[in-house]
Amino acid sequence: MIASADVGGISSAENDCVSQREIMKIKLNNGKLVEKYTVADLPAEINWAKSTALKKANHTADTWQGRSPHKRFENIFLGDLAKNIVKKYLLQEIAGVSPFLIEYDQIRTDDFRNRDMFDLKIEKDATSIELEIKSSGEKTISDPSSLNSSRRLIVNQPGPHYHLSDACIQVMFVPANMQFFKNEITASQLSLEKYSEGYIQDFSAASVIAYIMGFADLQMQKNALANLFSVNNSGAGANRRSYADLILSNTHQIDSLTQAIKKKISL
């Protein structure tokens, strides 16, 4: 597992923005670093997320929100894209991790009919590190520092279908037009395949920025679940739902996770 002792801040960054490979490192007002991706520059990640979301859309149960298949596609697409972006980040930041980095969608044998057993996992010898990726499409805040101080990392409540992973990572998607991500129930007369084509075109044109905001280790998730708050989003056809009260500014920055992974699997 990734423990709190394995993570820590990075204090050596001198500039507000540091270009590194295809990643833009952004320093927030509180000094924390987040990773910024221009989503339109990631066609492979977009296309893979579209493919997996289409396969999952008709086989995913609605446990707290009544959704059309089209809305279900949108939600799953955003989650799978976040997972693909985090995978890209790990491959770029941890040299030699590729043989040990497992994506469940690439090894599953159920034709995408059952729930994902995990998002990403790193396995080497007797060490296994499971990663869960959370996503959110932002509707009101565009500034990453403001997102960090006001938005929460979504931690699942343990139950029959969920468990806590070693690290839970939050990705925020911020469009240029803050009206792009809508609350209302999506309904369409188009086939799901045809609808998805139009949605991806619109998404790619929306100048969406993805920020890998931070992560919670296992102990941090457990602590957060001791303080729950509830949200009623009836406009999206959703029932009242409880979340862990974990503000993003109280999470670890993602660079600390890569350092912990390197240490644990000796890379």
Side-chain angles (χ1 to χ4, degrees), residues 23-25 33-37 89 210-212 254-255:
I23 305 169
M24 185 70 74
K25 294 184 179 292
L33 293 177
V34 301
E35 313 296 337
K36 174 184 176 181
Y37 285 87
Y89 167 77
Y211 294 101
I212 305 178
I254 193 66
D255 301 66

Side-chain angles (χ1 to χ4, degrees), residues 1-9 32 129-132 153-156 158 163-170 213-226 244 246-248 250-254 256-258 260-261 264:
M1 90 186 212
I2 302 292
S4 297
D6 294 322
V7 296
K32 180 180 178 180
I129 304 168
E130 185 176 302
L131 309 177
E132 181 175 11
L153 185 148
I154 302 168
V155 180
N156 285 331
H163 66 280
L164 298 180
S165 298
D166 296 302
C168 184
I169 304 165
Q170 184 70 44
M213 297 298 297
F215 80 98
D217 60 45
L218 184 58
Q219 189 58 54
M220 182 179 285
Q221 294 171 65
K222 291 179 179 178
N223 292 344
L225 286 169
L246 181 55
I247 297 291
L248 286 170
N250 292 328
T251 64
H252 303 297
Q253 64 182 38
I254 193 66
S256 302
L257 179 60
T258 62
I261 291 171
K264 283 190 168 293

